[in-house]
């Protein structure tokens, strides 16, 4: 855990997970009005009492039978040439929207830590403003990030498959199947596909009969899990919901952003446009961690939320943009801004009333020499930058 620096004075914002009532107002808020150059620490209290430690495969665990399907080896996305030839962002015309209603199926007791804001730092709904694209950017001093700053380790839960009949699962290294309490059930052979289907009393994985809720979890830091056509960092949750499956990727927030930035914007875009996209995507994700879609996952992986494709949309440029802006979010009066964005100014005007970032516009502003703070100041006038800090 990272504790608050004693030098931080009044005005520090304390944020904890699970204050959905405060952040439900953000869905329709106009993005407000101060200085994008403010850099306020936001404190997070991380409650990990029920978070199980990563289980290690044990000698007495059964090994899953080797199935017929053979899965492809993970690609090397960081060195692969970008297939994108046009400077246009990849987002479709589908605007970001609120999460779907909570599932009527039974939910887990607790699958992730929660956070809530302190009473004196609740966000305020901003008044309507003119379209942000019309704002004139101004020159500001660059943010000063502490040399020893490390972004907090926050887990985001992303639904990558919903209401499907089956999936093919595989791993690229040592991995174990666990139950909801983190108890090891089976080990999995490397690079061999295991079809998973819902059964009468739980899940069927190849020849194995398993509980209705399981995790597929690599036991090494660089382990990946294969789901149908993509490799994912973190661990994979599989839930039987009648005769259908829900598949959720539990992944570190910063690692999630490596893929989101590469999915939402071209990896060949100017670096400051990618940095602006990284901060907007991080702020949007944090709002949904605080205000989740339901008890199983925080948000989905499509244009309705943010596009997320696993490691196949990670590039050296997206890693650089995320790492260079590590832990930075958009904040207004103690609240985290749900930083809406879309491909063009026209879509921003249509979907969000002109309040939000145009990805094409960000690309053009970066080409003109504006840095990421100026780009964000142009599209989110008055919103400040803050960094997240964990507190026990």
């Amino acid at each position: 855990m990272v504790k608050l620096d004693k030098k931080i004075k009044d005005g520090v914002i304390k944020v904890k997970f699970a204050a959905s009532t405060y952040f439900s107002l953000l869905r329709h808020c106009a993005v407000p009005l101060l200085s994008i150059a403010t850099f306020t620490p936001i404190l997070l209290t991380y409650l990990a009492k029920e978070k199980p430690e990563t289980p290690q495969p044990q000698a007495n665990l059964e090994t899953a039978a080797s199935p017929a399907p053979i899965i492809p080896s993970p690609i090397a996305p960081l060195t692969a040439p970008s297939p994108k030839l046009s400077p246009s962002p990849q987002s479709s015309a589908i605007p970001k929207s609120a999460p779907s209603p909570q599932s009527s199926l039974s939910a887990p007791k607790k699958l992730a830590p929660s956070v809530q804001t302190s009473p004196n730092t609740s966000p305020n709904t901003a008044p309507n403003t003119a379209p942000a694209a019309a704002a004139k950017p101004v020159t500001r001093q660059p943010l000063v990030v502490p040399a020893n700053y490390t972004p907090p380790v926050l887990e985001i839960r992303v639904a990558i498959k919903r209401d499907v009949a089956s999936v093919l699962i595989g791993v690229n290294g040592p991995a174990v199947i666990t139950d909801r309490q983190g108890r090891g059930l089976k080990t999995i052979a490397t690079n061999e596909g295991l079809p998973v289907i819902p059964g009468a009393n739980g899940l069927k994985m190849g020849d194995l009969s398993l509980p209705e809720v399981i995790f597929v979890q690599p036991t090494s830091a660089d382990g990946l899990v294969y789901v149908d056509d993509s490799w994912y960092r973190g661990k994979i949750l599989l839930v039987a919901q009648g005769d259908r499956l829900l598949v959720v990727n539990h992944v570190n927030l910063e690692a999630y952003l490596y893929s989101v930035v590469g999915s939402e914007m071209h990896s060949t875009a100017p670096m400051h446009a990618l940095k602006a996209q990284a901060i907007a995507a991080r702020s949007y994700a944090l709002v949904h961690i605080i205000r989740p879609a339901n008890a199983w996952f925080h948000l989905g992986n499509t244009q309705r939320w943010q596009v997320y494709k696993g490691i196949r949309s990670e590039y050296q440029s997206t890693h650089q943009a995320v790492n260079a802006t590590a832990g930075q979010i958009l904040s207004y009066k103690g609240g985290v801004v749900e930083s809406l964005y879309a491909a063009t100014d026209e879509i921003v005007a249509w979907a969000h009333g002109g309040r939000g970032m145009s990805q094409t516009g960000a690309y053009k502003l970066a080409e003109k020499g504006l840095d990421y703070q100026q780009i964000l100041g142009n599209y989110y006038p008055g919103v400040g930058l803050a960094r997240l800090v964990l507190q026990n």
Side-chain angles (χ1 to χ4, degrees), residues 165 196-204 210-212 240-245:
V196 181
I197 60 172
N201 299 310
L203 293 168
K204 295 284 291 183
L210 297 166
E212 64 179 8
Q241 298 182 325
D243 62 350
R244 314 299 285 179
L245 282 174

Side-chain angles (χ1 to χ4, degrees), residues 92-344:
S92 72
I94 302 175
K96 313 289 178 237
S97 63
S100 57
Q102 182 165 337
S103 169
S104 59
L105 297 169
S106 60
K109 294 179 180 178
K110 193 171 186 179
L111 290 181
S114 58
V115 177
Q116 64 186 75
T117 47
S118 56
N120 62 341
T121 59
S122 58
N124 295 304
T125 301
N128 290 332
T129 61
K136 185 177 181 180
V138 297
T139 301
R140 295 186 173 95
Q141 294 298 317
L143 298 181
V144 178
V145 182
N148 61 348
Y149 174 69
T150 301
V153 179
L154 300 176
E155 184 181 78
I156 189 167
R157 307 193 302 262
V158 188
I160 56 176
K161 300 285 181 181
R162 301 173 65 189
D163 195 32
V164 295
S166 65
V167 293
L168 184 67
I169 296 291
V171 292
N172 72 332
V176 63
I177 301 171
T178 71
D179 61 16
R180 278 161 64 168
Q181 286 71 42
R183 295 187 292 257
L185 303 174
K186 313 286 181 183
T187 55
I188 307 178
T190 300
N191 290 334
E192 292 186 295
L194 290 165
V196 181
I197 60 172
N201 299 310
L203 293 168
K204 295 284 291 183
M205 178 180 283
D207 297 330
L208 303 175
S209 295
L210 297 166
E212 64 179 8
V213 179
I214 62 169
F215 286 96
V216 177
Q217 186 164 1
T219 55
S220 62
D222 57 352
L224 302 171
V225 183
Y226 181 81
V227 181
D228 279 350
D229 59 355
S230 297
W231 288 92
Y232 295 90
R233 300 179 186 275
K235 61 185 177 181
I236 297 295
L237 169 71
L238 295 107
V239 183
Q241 298 182 325
D243 62 350
R244 314 299 285 179
L245 282 174
L246 169 66
V247 185
V248 180
N249 184 200
H250 288 222
V251 62
N252 177 270
L253 175 60
E254 298 296 308
Y256 161 76
L257 293 172
Y258 295 152
S259 175
V260 171
V261 174
S263 299
E264 288 283 357
M265 187 173 281
H266 285 296
S267 62
T268 55
M271 182 51 59
H272 282 288
L274 292 174
K275 289 180 180 180
Q277 177 65 68
I279 292 174
R282 186 181 291 108
S283 302
Y284 184 89
L286 184 58
V287 167
H288 286 267
I289 290 175
I290 297 166
R291 189 194 65 203
N294 62 36
W296 288 112
F297 58 88
H298 296 130
L299 74 178
N301 66 338
T302 66
Q303 293 93 339
R304 181 176 182 179
W305 288 273
Q306 297 185 129
V307 181
Y308 172 65
K309 301 177 182 178
I311 69 167
R312 63 190 170 101
S313 60
E314 293 183 12
Y315 299 91
Q316 290 177 337
S317 58
T318 66
H319 275 239
Q320 182 180 345
V322 172
N323 293 340
T325 62
Q328 294 181 32
I329 61 167
L330 294 166
S331 178
Y332 178 71
K333 290 189 176 180
V336 183
V337 173
E338 185 175 23
S339 43
L340 301 173
Y341 56 86
T344 66

Side-chain angles (χ1 to χ4, degrees), residues 2-18:
V2 179
K3 296 187 177 181
L4 173 62
D5 188 336
K6 294 180 180 180
K7 295 181 180 179
I8 297 177
K9 304 296 183 179
D10 294 339
V12 167
I13 305 165
K14 293 184 179 179
V15 178
K16 297 181 180 178
F17 280 128

